[in-house]
Amino acid sequence: MQDNNWRILTRPLIDDNPLTLQILGICSALAVTTSLDTALLMSLVVVCVLAVGSAVVSLMRRQIPRSVRIIVQITVIATLVIVVDQLLQAYAFELSKRLSVFVGLIITNCIVLGRAEGYAMHNGVVASTLDGIGNGLGYSLILIMVGAIREFFGKGSLLNLQILVPTSQGGSFEPLQLMLLPPSAFFIIGGIIWLIRRRRPRQVEKPEFSLRDERRISK
Amino acid sequence: MMPARNRTDGGRRGILRLQLLSLLPVTLAAILNSGYQYLNGLAAAPGGDDLRSQLARGLASSFEGPGLYEYFAVGLAQLLPMLLLALLVGGFWERVIAERCRRPIEPGYVLIALLFTLLLPGAAPFTHIIFGMTCAILLGKGVFGGDGKSFLSPVLLGVAIVQVSFASASGSHPLWKGVAGYAGSDAFALYHRGGEAALAQADIDLWSAFFGAIPGPMGTTSLLAVALGAALLLLTRVIAWRLLVAQIIGLIAIATLVDWMGAETGIGAMPAYWHLLLGSFAFGAVFLGCDPVASACTNPGRWIQGFLIAALVILIRVANPTHPDAVIPALLLASILAPLIDHAVIAWNIKQRARRHV
């Protein structure tokens, strides 16, 4: 049982990662990863919401009528997100201003609703909580990697600590403005997906078609 | 065993050779003009201390006075290192991809490197070249295509990424006259800031713009050289004449239209001939907009894409002050839309024919 719980917690990190395998929650991953601190805070918030949300939905799963289950799940998630949002505004106002609407938008984050509907509705409290934490951590892992890469190459700093001196201050590092624009997150996430699938060829999807020329060369 | 493939490869290589040949006048003009601009800049500002500036200054002092030979030598000292570096970086990644995918090395990277270099300013830092060529070959050629299969030109991708990434790659940056520390800039950016008066002050008239003795991206300044290359490509039917004609007519028509609509100053009031002469429109239209692989391949589609490119160039030039010479983003956008245009044209054609035969 211990082993099984361990798998539930760790499987979403790489093998079944919500961002890189299921391609969910991309929107927020583009928006909050211009610097590492916002990525970290967003990760923390999503882990909390996912863990508590999955636990609550799992506890209520026998009482929820099937026909209104999505509404109930959304209500639970929305309540949690609003509480977290208020907490952030109270204790980390500057950061919460930079995260702007994206904390509120966790309500519509596919990962949260997906785990509630796909897992917590059919499994016990312990397993659901672990699954929520695991998926949150899988999301966080990618978010933190992307945030670190973007902040390092876009500003030459990490967690607002200047590591490379930019040319505007007399240094030799020319910041990559591309990294501060949303498309760069697409490139980076694409690169991460490619890396993971090289290591785990099982995740590679079958090509929908192949060029005739290439088929002949491979023979 | 594979006659068909050999034939297509041979054809592809022949086209590549023609494309490289058509770039010869442009490259010569680029060398001469970079030398001319550099020496001009040197008269106004001391220039940087880096290796390239020292080399060019040394070359300049070994000639008695300004002349074609001197311009050529100094320009070559500017362009050659950049081109060699671009070839080196491109060749390296091409080799890596070829080995990984177990396919022969495709020679298209040579054309990509040459076009990429010609679209850079004379003193582009080597980091820009390395970064841009890496993106062009890895993303544009390796991930999204390959010789004869790219859905957008890797050159466009590389240049666009460099322009978006680095502030100093924009046309109004002081780097652009070729001498670090000299506050000249791209001829188009000059017009952008001061109109005809600024051009006159910098000694730019219609003739110097036609022959290409103006500051700008290295290969794109001379309309004459671009026209020579275009003539070769048109005669050998490497590029589709409809695409080229549509772009030029479109540019002239839309620029005149915008002029009529009553802008008093700025780019809106810029006459059509300046749109054609300044900036990299002519070069982009011939060598990138008519890309035989990545542009529309139906005849109505070619007209549509040509007008679209022209409209986007004018639109971005007039509406977006942060991106004066709008050719690269316009071409990129039109190139992405090319398959969609073709798809619509073919669907429309099928519908017409079906209606005729009910």
Side-chain angles (χ1 to χ4, degrees), chain B residues 31-77:
Chain B
I31 292 173
L32 281 175
N33 185 43
S34 331
Y36 174 69
Q37 295 299 334
Y38 188 90
L39 292 171
N40 247 3
L42 212 56
D49 274 335
D50 57 309
L51 210 60
R52 279 196 293 177
S53 307
Q54 284 178 5
L55 177 67
R57 239 176 300 160
L59 271 173
S61 62
S62 69
F63 287 88
E64 295 108 53
L68 275 190
Y69 290 121
E70 189 185 4
Y71 296 153
F72 192 84
V74 175
L76 201 63

Coordinates of all heavy atoms in Angstrom, one line a residue, chain B residues 31-77:
Chain B
I31 N 29.1 44.2 -50.0 CA 30.5 44.4 -49.6 C 30.9 45.9 -49.8 O 31.4 46.5 -48.9 CB 31.4 43.5 -50.4 CG1 31.1 42.0 -49.9 CG2 32.8 43.8 -50.1 CD1 31.8 41.0 -50.7
L32 N 30.6 46.4 -51.0 CA 31.0 47.7 -51.4 C 30.3 48.7 -50.4 O 31.0 49.6 -49.9 CB 30.6 48.1 -52.8 CG 31.5 47.5 -53.9 CD1 30.9 47.8 -55.3 CD2 32.9 48.1 -53.7
N33 N 29.0 48.6 -50.2 CA 28.3 49.5 -49.4 C 28.8 49.5 -47.9 O 28.9 50.5 -47.3 CB 26.8 49.3 -49.5 CG 26.0 50.4 -48.8 OD1 26.4 51.6 -48.9 ND2 25.0 50.0 -48.0
S34 N 29.0 48.2 -47.4 CA 29.4 48.2 -46.0 C 30.8 48.9 -45.8 O 31.0 49.6 -44.9 CB 29.6 46.8 -45.5 OG 28.8 45.9 -46.1
G35 N 31.7 48.7 -46.8 CA 32.9 49.4 -46.8 C 32.7 50.9 -46.8 O 33.3 51.7 -46.0
Y36 N 31.9 51.4 -47.7 CA 31.6 52.8 -47.9 C 31.0 53.4 -46.6 O 31.5 54.4 -46.1 CB 30.7 53.0 -49.1 CG 30.2 54.4 -49.3 CD1 31.0 55.4 -49.7 CD2 28.8 54.7 -49.1 CE1 30.6 56.7 -49.9 CE2 28.4 56.0 -49.3 CZ 29.3 56.9 -49.7 OH 28.8 58.2 -49.9
Q37 N 30.0 52.7 -46.1 CA 29.4 53.2 -44.9 C 30.4 53.2 -43.7 O 30.4 54.1 -42.9 CB 28.2 52.3 -44.5 CG 27.0 52.3 -45.5 CD 26.5 53.7 -45.6 OE1 26.5 54.5 -44.7 NE2 25.9 53.9 -46.8
Y38 N 31.2 52.2 -43.6 CA 32.2 52.1 -42.5 C 33.1 53.3 -42.6 O 33.3 54.0 -41.6 CB 32.9 50.8 -42.6 CG 33.7 50.6 -41.3 CD1 33.2 49.9 -40.2 CD2 35.0 51.1 -41.2 CE1 33.9 49.8 -39.1 CE2 35.8 51.0 -40.1 CZ 35.2 50.3 -39.0 OH 35.9 50.2 -37.8
L39 N 33.7 53.5 -43.8 CA 34.6 54.6 -43.9 C 34.0 55.9 -43.6 O 34.6 56.8 -43.0 CB 35.3 54.6 -45.2 CG 36.2 53.3 -45.4 CD1 36.7 53.2 -46.8 CD2 37.4 53.4 -44.5
N40 N 32.7 56.1 -44.1 CA 32.0 57.3 -43.9 C 31.8 57.5 -42.4 O 32.0 58.6 -41.9 CB 30.6 57.1 -44.4 CG 30.3 58.1 -45.6 OD1 31.2 58.8 -45.9 ND2 29.1 58.1 -46.2
G41 N 31.5 56.4 -41.7 CA 31.2 56.5 -40.2 C 32.5 56.8 -39.5 O 32.5 57.6 -38.5
L42 N 33.6 56.3 -40.0 CA 34.9 56.5 -39.4 C 35.3 58.0 -39.4 O 36.0 58.4 -38.5 CB 36.0 55.6 -40.2 CG 37.1 55.1 -39.3 CD1 36.6 54.3 -38.2 CD2 38.0 54.3 -40.2
A43 N 34.9 58.6 -40.5 CA 35.2 60.1 -40.6 C 34.5 60.9 -39.5 O 34.9 61.9 -39.1 CB 34.8 60.6 -42.0
A44 N 33.3 60.3 -39.1 CA 32.5 61.1 -38.1 C 32.7 60.7 -36.7 O 32.5 61.4 -35.8 CB 31.0 60.9 -38.5
A45 N 33.2 59.4 -36.5 CA 33.3 58.9 -35.1 C 34.5 58.0 -35.0 O 34.9 57.4 -36.1 CB 32.1 58.2 -34.6
P46 N 35.2 57.9 -33.9 CA 36.4 57.1 -33.9 C 36.2 55.6 -34.1 O 37.1 54.9 -34.5 CB 36.9 57.4 -32.5 CG 35.7 57.8 -31.7 CD 34.9 58.5 -32.6
G47 N 35.0 55.0 -33.7 CA 34.8 53.6 -33.9 C 35.2 52.8 -32.7 O 35.9 53.4 -31.8
G48 N 34.9 51.6 -32.6 CA 35.1 50.8 -31.5 C 36.5 50.2 -31.4 O 37.4 50.5 -32.3
D49 N 36.8 49.5 -30.3 CA 38.1 48.9 -30.1 C 38.2 47.4 -30.4 O 39.2 46.8 -30.2 CB 38.6 49.2 -28.7 CG 39.3 50.5 -28.6 OD1 39.7 51.0 -29.6 OD2 39.3 51.1 -27.4
D50 N 37.1 46.9 -30.9 CA 37.0 45.4 -31.0 C 37.9 45.0 -32.2 O 38.3 45.9 -33.0 CB 35.6 44.9 -31.2 CG 34.9 45.6 -32.3 OD1 34.9 46.9 -32.4 OD2 34.3 44.9 -33.1
L51 N 38.1 43.7 -32.3 CA 39.0 43.2 -33.4 C 38.6 43.6 -34.8 O 39.4 44.0 -35.6 CB 39.0 41.7 -33.2 CG 40.3 41.0 -33.6 CD1 41.5 41.5 -32.7 CD2 40.2 39.5 -33.5
R52 N 37.3 43.5 -35.0 CA 36.8 43.8 -36.4 C 37.0 45.3 -36.8 O 37.5 45.6 -37.9 CB 35.3 43.5 -36.5 CG 35.0 42.0 -36.7 CD 33.6 41.8 -37.1 NE 32.7 42.2 -36.1 CZ 31.4 42.1 -36.3 NH1 30.9 41.8 -37.4 NH2 30.5 42.4 -35.3
S53 N 36.8 46.2 -35.8 CA 37.0 47.6 -36.1 C 38.5 47.9 -36.4 O 38.9 48.6 -37.3 CB 36.5 48.5 -34.9 OG 35.2 48.2 -34.6
Q54 N 39.3 47.2 -35.6 CA 40.8 47.4 -35.7 C 41.2 46.9 -37.1 O 42.0 47.6 -37.8 CB 41.5 46.7 -34.6 CG 41.5 47.4 -33.3 CD 42.2 46.6 -32.2 OE1 42.8 45.6 -32.5 NE2 42.1 47.1 -31.0
L55 N 40.7 45.8 -37.5 CA 41.0 45.2 -38.8 C 40.6 46.1 -39.9 O 41.4 46.5 -40.8 CB 40.3 43.8 -39.0 CG 40.5 43.1 -40.3 CD1 41.9 42.7 -40.5 CD2 39.6 41.9 -40.4
A56 N 39.4 46.7 -39.8 CA 38.9 47.5 -40.9 C 39.7 48.8 -40.9 O 40.0 49.3 -42.0 CB 37.4 47.9 -40.6
R57 N 40.1 49.4 -39.7 CA 40.8 50.6 -39.7 C 42.2 50.4 -40.3 O 42.7 51.2 -41.0 CB 40.9 51.1 -38.3 CG 40.4 52.5 -38.1 CD 40.4 53.0 -36.7 NE 39.6 52.1 -35.9 CZ 39.7 52.0 -34.5 NH1 40.6 52.7 -33.9 NH2 38.9 51.2 -33.9
G58 N 42.8 49.2 -39.9 CA 44.1 48.9 -40.5 C 44.1 48.9 -42.0 O 44.9 49.4 -42.7
L59 N 43.0 48.2 -42.5 CA 42.9 48.1 -44.0 C 42.7 49.5 -44.6 O 43.3 49.8 -45.6 CB 41.6 47.2 -44.3 CG 41.8 45.7 -44.4 CD1 40.5 45.0 -44.5 CD2 42.8 45.4 -45.6
A60 N 41.9 50.3 -43.9 CA 41.6 51.6 -44.5 C 42.8 52.4 -44.6 O 43.1 53.1 -45.6 CB 40.5 52.3 -43.6
S61 N 43.7 52.3 -43.6 CA 44.9 53.2 -43.6 C 46.0 52.7 -44.6 O 46.9 53.4 -45.0 CB 45.5 53.2 -42.2 OG 45.9 51.9 -41.8
S62 N 45.8 51.5 -45.1 CA 46.8 51.0 -46.1 C 46.5 51.4 -47.5 O 47.2 51.1 -48.4 CB 46.9 49.4 -46.0 OG 45.7 48.9 -46.5
F63 N 45.4 52.1 -47.7 CA 45.1 52.6 -49.0 C 45.3 54.2 -49.0 O 45.3 54.8 -48.0 CB 43.6 52.4 -49.4 CG 43.4 51.0 -49.8 CD1 43.0 50.1 -48.8 CD2 43.4 50.5 -51.1 CE1 42.8 48.7 -49.1 CE2 43.2 49.2 -51.4 CZ 42.8 48.3 -50.4
E64 N 45.6 54.7 -50.2 CA 46.0 56.1 -50.3 C 44.7 57.0 -50.0 O 44.7 57.9 -49.2 CB 46.6 56.5 -51.6 CG 47.9 55.9 -51.9 CD 47.8 54.9 -53.0 OE1 47.3 55.2 -54.1 OE2 48.2 53.7 -52.8
G65 N 43.7 56.7 -50.7 CA 42.5 57.5 -50.6 C 41.2 56.7 -50.8 O 41.4 55.5 -51.2
P66 N 40.1 57.2 -50.6 CA 38.9 56.4 -50.8 C 38.7 56.0 -52.2 O 39.0 56.9 -53.1 CB 37.7 57.3 -50.3 CG 38.3 58.7 -50.3 CD 39.8 58.5 -50.0
G67 N 38.3 54.8 -52.5 CA 38.1 54.4 -53.9 C 37.4 53.0 -53.8 O 37.2 52.5 -52.7
L68 N 37.1 52.5 -54.9 CA 36.3 51.2 -55.0 C 37.1 50.1 -54.3 O 36.5 49.3 -53.5 CB 36.0 50.8 -56.4 CG 34.8 51.4 -57.0 CD1 34.5 50.8 -58.4 CD2 33.6 51.3 -56.1
Y69 N 38.4 50.0 -54.5 CA 39.2 48.9 -53.9 C 39.2 49.0 -52.4 O 39.0 48.0 -51.7 CB 40.7 49.0 -54.4 CG 40.8 48.7 -55.8 CD1 41.4 49.6 -56.7 CD2 40.4 47.4 -56.3 CE1 41.6 49.3 -58.1 CE2 40.6 47.1 -57.7 CZ 41.1 48.0 -58.5 OH 41.3 47.7 -59.8
E70 N 39.3 50.2 -51.9 CA 39.3 50.4 -50.5 C 37.9 50.0 -49.9 O 37.9 49.3 -48.9 CB 39.6 51.8 -50.1 CG 39.9 52.0 -48.6 CD 40.1 53.5 -48.3 OE1 39.9 54.3 -49.2 OE2 40.3 53.7 -47.1
Y71 N 36.9 50.5 -50.5 CA 35.5 50.1 -50.1 C 35.4 48.6 -50.0 O 34.9 48.0 -49.1 CB 34.5 50.7 -51.0 CG 34.4 52.2 -51.0 CD1 33.9 52.9 -52.1 CD2 34.8 52.9 -49.9 CE1 33.9 54.3 -52.1 CE2 34.8 54.3 -49.9 CZ 34.3 55.0 -51.0 OH 34.3 56.3 -51.0
F72 N 35.9 48.0 -51.1 CA 35.7 46.5 -51.2 C 36.5 45.8 -50.1 O 36.0 44.9 -49.5 CB 36.2 46.1 -52.6 CG 35.8 44.7 -52.9 CD1 34.6 44.4 -53.5 CD2 36.7 43.6 -52.7 CE1 34.2 43.1 -53.7 CE2 36.3 42.3 -52.9 CZ 35.1 42.0 -53.5
A73 N 37.7 46.2 -49.9 CA 38.6 45.5 -48.9 C 37.9 45.7 -47.5 O 37.8 44.7 -46.8 CB 40.0 46.1 -48.9
V74 N 37.5 46.9 -47.2 CA 37.0 47.2 -45.8 C 35.6 46.4 -45.7 O 35.4 45.8 -44.7 CB 36.8 48.7 -45.6 CG1 36.2 48.9 -44.3 CG2 38.2 49.3 -45.6
G75 N 34.8 46.5 -46.8 CA 33.5 45.8 -46.7 C 33.7 44.3 -46.6 O 33.0 43.7 -45.8
L76 N 34.7 43.8 -47.3 CA 34.9 42.3 -47.2 C 35.3 42.0 -45.8 O 34.9 40.9 -45.2 CB 36.0 41.9 -48.2 CG 36.1 40.5 -48.6 CD1 34.8 40.1 -49.3 CD2 37.3 40.2 -49.4
A77 N 36.1 42.8 -45.1 CA 36.6 42.6 -43.8 C 35.4 42.6 -42.8 O 35.4 42.0 -41.7 CB 37.6 43.6 -43.3

